[in-house]
Short mmCIF file of all heavy atoms in Angstrom, two decimals:
data_model
loop_
_atom_site.label_atom_id
_atom_site.label_comp_id
_atom_site.label_asym_id
_atom_site.label_seq_id
_atom_site.Cartn_x
_atom_site.Cartn_y
_atom_site.Cartn_z
N THR A 270 9.37 -11.19 1.57
CA THR A 270 8.55 -11.79 2.63
C THR A 270 8.90 -13.27 2.76
O THR A 270 9.82 -13.75 2.11
CB THR A 270 7.04 -11.69 2.29
OG1 THR A 270 6.82 -12.53 1.13
CG2 THR A 270 6.63 -10.26 1.99
N TYR A 272 7.56 -15.48 1.40
CA TYR A 272 7.40 -16.13 0.10
C TYR A 272 8.61 -15.87 -0.80
O TYR A 272 8.61 -16.22 -1.97
CB TYR A 272 6.12 -15.63 -0.59
CG TYR A 272 4.91 -15.70 0.29
CD1 TYR A 272 4.31 -14.55 0.78
CD2 TYR A 272 4.39 -16.93 0.70
CE1 TYR A 272 3.21 -14.61 1.61
CE2 TYR A 272 3.28 -16.99 1.54
CZ TYR A 272 2.70 -15.84 1.99
OH TYR A 272 1.61 -15.90 2.82
N TRP A 276 8.68 -13.53 -6.65
CA TRP A 276 8.16 -14.90 -6.60
C TRP A 276 7.81 -15.39 -8.01
O TRP A 276 7.40 -14.66 -8.87
CB TRP A 276 6.93 -15.03 -5.69
CG TRP A 276 6.33 -13.82 -5.12
CD1 TRP A 276 6.69 -13.20 -3.97
CD2 TRP A 276 5.20 -13.08 -5.63
NE1 TRP A 276 5.88 -12.12 -3.74
CE2 TRP A 276 4.95 -12.02 -4.75
CE3 TRP A 276 4.39 -13.21 -6.77
CZ2 TRP A 276 3.92 -11.10 -4.95
CZ3 TRP A 276 3.39 -12.29 -6.97
CH2 TRP A 276 3.16 -11.25 -6.05
N PHE A 278 5.78 -18.78 -9.01
CA PHE A 278 5.15 -19.91 -8.32
C PHE A 278 4.15 -20.66 -9.20
O PHE A 278 3.67 -20.16 -10.21
CB PHE A 278 4.48 -19.44 -7.03
CG PHE A 278 3.32 -18.50 -7.22
CD1 PHE A 278 2.01 -18.98 -7.12
CD2 PHE A 278 3.52 -17.16 -7.46
CE1 PHE A 278 0.92 -18.12 -7.27
CE2 PHE A 278 2.43 -16.29 -7.62
CZ PHE A 278 1.14 -16.76 -7.53
N ASP A 286 0.60 -22.23 1.36
CA ASP A 286 -0.48 -21.26 1.16
C ASP A 286 -1.31 -21.71 -0.04
O ASP A 286 -0.77 -22.23 -1.03
CB ASP A 286 0.08 -19.85 0.91
CG ASP A 286 -1.02 -18.83 0.89
OD1 ASP A 286 -1.72 -18.74 -0.14
OD2 ASP A 286 -1.22 -18.14 1.91
N THR A 287 -2.64 -21.50 0.00
CA THR A 287 -3.53 -21.97 -1.07
C THR A 287 -3.22 -21.30 -2.41
O THR A 287 -3.68 -21.76 -3.45
CB THR A 287 -5.00 -21.70 -0.69
OG1 THR A 287 -5.11 -20.35 -0.22
CG2 THR A 287 -5.45 -22.66 0.40
N ALA A 288 -2.46 -20.20 -2.38
CA ALA A 288 -2.07 -19.62 -3.67
C ALA A 288 -1.23 -20.62 -4.46
O ALA A 288 -1.22 -20.59 -5.68
CB ALA A 288 -1.28 -18.33 -3.44
N TYR A 289 -0.58 -21.52 -3.73
CA TYR A 289 0.30 -22.51 -4.36
C TYR A 289 -0.45 -23.82 -4.59
O TYR A 289 0.11 -24.91 -4.48
CB TYR A 289 1.53 -22.76 -3.47
CG TYR A 289 2.40 -21.53 -3.29
CD1 TYR A 289 2.00 -20.50 -2.45
CD2 TYR A 289 3.59 -21.38 -4.00
CE1 TYR A 289 2.78 -19.36 -2.29
CE2 TYR A 289 4.37 -20.24 -3.84
CZ TYR A 289 3.95 -19.24 -2.99
OH TYR A 289 4.71 -18.11 -2.85
N LEU A 294 -9.57 -18.72 -5.40
CA LEU A 294 -9.33 -17.80 -4.27
C LEU A 294 -10.31 -16.65 -4.40
O LEU A 294 -10.33 -15.96 -5.42
CB LEU A 294 -7.89 -17.28 -4.32
CG LEU A 294 -6.78 -18.36 -4.24
CD1 LEU A 294 -5.41 -17.72 -4.43
CD2 LEU A 294 -6.84 -19.10 -2.91
N HIS A 297 -9.62 -10.98 -2.24
CA HIS A 297 -8.91 -10.70 -0.97
C HIS A 297 -7.79 -9.71 -1.20
O HIS A 297 -7.35 -9.49 -2.33
CB HIS A 297 -8.34 -12.00 -0.38
CG HIS A 297 -7.25 -12.59 -1.23
ND1 HIS A 297 -7.50 -13.34 -2.37
CD2 HIS A 297 -5.89 -12.50 -1.14
CE1 HIS A 297 -6.36 -13.71 -2.92
NE2 HIS A 297 -5.36 -13.21 -2.20
N THR A 298 -7.33 -9.16 -0.09
CA THR A 298 -6.08 -8.41 -0.14
C THR A 298 -5.04 -9.28 0.55
O THR A 298 -5.37 -10.04 1.48
CB THR A 298 -6.19 -7.06 0.60
OG1 THR A 298 -6.54 -7.30 1.96
CG2 THR A 298 -7.23 -6.16 -0.06
N ASP A 299 -3.80 -9.17 0.12
CA ASP A 299 -2.76 -9.99 0.73
C ASP A 299 -2.27 -9.40 2.05
O ASP A 299 -2.47 -8.23 2.33
CB ASP A 299 -1.57 -10.11 -0.25
CG ASP A 299 -1.79 -11.26 -1.24
OD1 ASP A 299 -2.96 -11.64 -1.44
OD2 ASP A 299 -0.80 -11.74 -1.79
N ASN A 300 -1.58 -10.25 2.79
CA ASN A 300 -0.82 -9.84 3.97
C ASN A 300 -1.68 -9.30 5.11
O ASN A 300 -1.21 -8.46 5.89
CB ASN A 300 0.22 -8.78 3.61
CG ASN A 300 1.12 -9.14 2.44
OD1 ASN A 300 1.66 -8.23 1.84
ND2 ASN A 300 1.27 -10.37 2.08
N THR A 301 -2.91 -9.77 5.26
CA THR A 301 -3.72 -9.29 6.39
C THR A 301 -3.10 -9.74 7.72
O THR A 301 -3.42 -9.22 8.77
CB THR A 301 -5.15 -9.84 6.31
OG1 THR A 301 -5.07 -11.27 6.12
CG2 THR A 301 -5.92 -9.22 5.16
N TYR A 302 -2.19 -10.70 7.65
CA TYR A 302 -1.49 -11.22 8.83
C TYR A 302 -0.25 -10.39 9.15
O TYR A 302 0.45 -10.66 10.12
CB TYR A 302 -1.07 -12.68 8.60
CG TYR A 302 -0.59 -12.91 7.19
CD1 TYR A 302 0.68 -12.55 6.78
CD2 TYR A 302 -1.48 -13.39 6.21
CE1 TYR A 302 1.09 -12.68 5.47
CE2 TYR A 302 -1.07 -13.54 4.89
CZ TYR A 302 0.22 -13.17 4.53
OH TYR A 302 0.61 -13.31 3.21
N GLN A 310 1.08 -5.13 -5.51
CA GLN A 310 1.40 -6.49 -5.95
C GLN A 310 1.50 -6.48 -7.47
O GLN A 310 0.59 -5.94 -8.12
CB GLN A 310 0.29 -7.47 -5.58
CG GLN A 310 0.30 -7.92 -4.15
CD GLN A 310 -0.48 -9.21 -3.98
OE1 GLN A 310 0.06 -10.28 -4.27
NE2 GLN A 310 -1.72 -9.11 -3.55
N PHE A 312 1.56 -8.91 -10.72
CA PHE A 312 1.32 -10.30 -11.16
C PHE A 312 1.60 -10.39 -12.66
O PHE A 312 1.19 -9.51 -13.43
CB PHE A 312 -0.15 -10.70 -10.94
CG PHE A 312 -0.54 -10.93 -9.52
CD1 PHE A 312 -1.41 -10.06 -8.88
CD2 PHE A 312 -0.06 -12.03 -8.80
CE1 PHE A 312 -1.78 -10.27 -7.55
CE2 PHE A 312 -0.44 -12.24 -7.49
CZ PHE A 312 -1.30 -11.37 -6.87
N ASN A 391 -9.24 -10.78 3.94
CA ASN A 391 -8.98 -12.12 3.41
C ASN A 391 -9.66 -13.11 4.35
O ASN A 391 -9.16 -13.42 5.42
CB ASN A 391 -7.49 -12.41 3.33
CG ASN A 391 -7.24 -13.78 2.69
OD1 ASN A 391 -8.05 -14.70 2.87
ND2 ASN A 391 -6.16 -13.91 1.95
N ASP A 394 -7.74 -16.25 5.46
CA ASP A 394 -6.60 -16.10 6.39
C ASP A 394 -7.05 -15.58 7.75
O ASP A 394 -6.23 -15.33 8.62
CB ASP A 394 -5.54 -15.15 5.79
CG ASP A 394 -4.88 -15.74 4.55
OD1 ASP A 394 -5.29 -16.84 4.13
OD2 ASP A 394 -3.97 -15.09 4.00
N HIS A 446 -8.03 -8.96 -5.05
CA HIS A 446 -7.80 -9.83 -6.21
C HIS A 446 -8.15 -11.27 -5.84
O HIS A 446 -8.27 -11.61 -4.66
CB HIS A 446 -6.35 -9.74 -6.69
CG HIS A 446 -5.37 -10.24 -5.67
ND1 HIS A 446 -4.96 -9.46 -4.59
CD2 HIS A 446 -4.78 -11.45 -5.51
CE1 HIS A 446 -4.13 -10.17 -3.84
NE2 HIS A 446 -4.00 -11.37 -4.36
N TYR A 461 5.98 -8.14 -4.36
CA TYR A 461 5.34 -7.13 -3.51
C TYR A 461 6.23 -5.87 -3.50
O TYR A 461 7.45 -5.96 -3.56
CB TYR A 461 5.25 -7.62 -2.06
CG TYR A 461 4.29 -8.74 -1.76
CD1 TYR A 461 4.68 -9.81 -0.95
CD2 TYR A 461 2.98 -8.72 -2.23
CE1 TYR A 461 3.80 -10.84 -0.63
CE2 TYR A 461 2.09 -9.74 -1.91
CZ TYR A 461 2.50 -10.79 -1.11
OH TYR A 461 1.62 -11.80 -0.80
C1 M3L B 1 1.79 -13.73 -3.78
N1 M3L B 1 2.35 -14.97 -3.28
C2 M3L B 1 2.05 -16.07 -4.16
C3 M3L B 1 3.78 -14.83 -3.09
C4 M3L B 1 1.91 -15.27 -1.94
C5 M3L B 1 0.44 -15.34 -1.77
C6 M3L B 1 0.08 -15.32 -0.33
C7 M3L B 1 -1.39 -15.24 -0.18
C8 M3L B 1 -1.79 -15.09 1.23
N2 M3L B 1 -2.89 -16.00 1.51
C9 M3L B 1 -2.23 -13.67 1.44
O1 M3L B 1 -3.40 -13.40 1.23
O2 M3L B 1 -1.40 -12.82 1.74
#
Side-chain angles (χ1 to χ4, degrees):
T270 66
Y272 309 110
W276 7 274
F278 66 101
D286 188 283
T287 47
Y289 297 75
L294 300 175
H297 66 280
T298 59
D299 274 22
N300 309 158
T301 50
Y302 40 79
Q310 281 200 80
F312 287 111
N391 184 327
D394 293 4
H446 64 280
Y461 289 135

